[in-house]
Amino acid sequence: AVLDKARALSGAGHDAVVGDITVTNVTSGLDAVFLLGDQVSTSTSANWRAFGKRHASILDGTVSPPTAMKRLPVLPVAGDRDCVKEPTCGTMAKVFPGFGVEIGFGRVATWHHFDLQIGEKDVWRIVVLDSNKKGLGSRWHEQMAWLKGVVANPGSGLIVLMHESPISRNRRSKNPGPDELMDAIGEHAPLLSLRAVFSAGPVNN
């Protein structure tokens, strides 16, 4: 979908974006929606409930849809705001069915992967990462250990999604997370297997 950036930045941006996605889905068809982080301003239960209700008509989630229109599968990426008040990310996980893998002690992993088969032969590995090193705390080391094994066998190619961009012309962020994630991928993934990195954080260009 091609979204109107000017409308998305306006006060009625959420309604405009939902409208754009709805129209595109009805007229052209969409397979899925990728959310690249910071879905809410702060991770309070009220904010997540509001997010679920606002997008219930288009995104497949735990909030009941207001109409019978088919909803779109959604792949969320955790941003630095999405779990800031709740390090376990439990409320975010409740909004998106199937999001997060239990990693013990009531915690949810904000990183995961899946393989996407295209045609008869090509199998692409999609890797979703949490670039918020400070917010993850000790979980950062768990993600890094997991990442090294996941990228070792990328199939036809590796596609990475993370909130903050590893490359920016305006480096305002002091978060070393994206660079460390990319270094790990460069070290443990086969040569030239990384095909694309998608991100949308505040320092993204």
Side-chain angles (χ1 to χ4, degrees):
V2 179
L3 303 180
D4 186 329
K5 183 177 180 181
R7 289 202 295 162
L9 293 175
S10 69
H14 288 100
D15 293 337
V17 168
V18 169
D20 286 345
I21 293 175
T22 301
V23 170
T24 304
N25 189 35
V26 171
T27 57
S28 306
L30 290 173
D31 294 321
V33 172
F34 289 8
L35 302 176
L36 294 176
D38 285 355
Q39 281 77 236
V40 294
S41 57
T42 55
S43 59
T44 63
S45 296
N47 281 349
W48 274 118
R49 283 195 301 270
F51 175 90
K53 290 179 180 178
R54 184 179 295 127
H55 298 90
S57 64
I58 57 170
L59 300 181
D60 187 18
T62 54
V63 178
S64 299
T67 68
M69 187 179 75
K70 182 181 178 181
R71 297 195 291 180
L72 296 164
V74 58
L75 178 64
V77 176
D80 53 289
R81 297 173 182 268
D82 295 324
C83 304
V84 68
K85 291 185 178 293
E86 188 184 27
T88 62
C89 283
T91 305
M92 179 179 176
K94 289 178 182 177
V95 174
F96 302 107
F99 173 81
V101 178
E102 287 287 340
I103 53 176
F105 304 103
R107 303 171 308 147
V108 174
T110 46
W111 56 88
H112 62 100
H113 83 280
F114 61 93
D115 292 333
L116 182 64
Q117 182 166 342
I118 301 176
E120 295 182 1
K121 297 181 179 179
D122 288 334
V123 179
W124 293 74
R125 176 147 292 185
I126 314 298
V127 179
V128 179
L129 300 174
D130 191 333
S131 58
N132 186 12
K133 181 177 181 179
K134 182 179 179 181
L136 283 177
S138 62
R139 285 182 296 160
W140 178 259
H141 303 293
E142 295 179 71
Q143 177 180 222
M144 292 295 285
W146 165 88
L147 177 62
K148 294 173 183 178
V150 165
V151 301
N153 298 294
S156 303
L158 189 66
I159 296 177
V160 174
L161 294 91
M162 67 174 78
H163 175 58
E164 287 198 44
S165 172
I167 299 173
S168 175
R169 287 169 22 184
N170 181 14
R171 196 58 151 160
R172 296 189 307 249
S173 174
K174 295 181 180 179
N175 175 20
D179 290 334
E180 292 184 21
L181 292 170
M182 295 307 298
D183 287 346
I185 292 171
E187 182 179 352
H188 297 278
L191 186 65
L192 302 179
S193 61
L194 178 62
R195 301 300 180 88
V197 179
F198 293 95
S199 56
V203 299
N204 191 40
N205 258 302

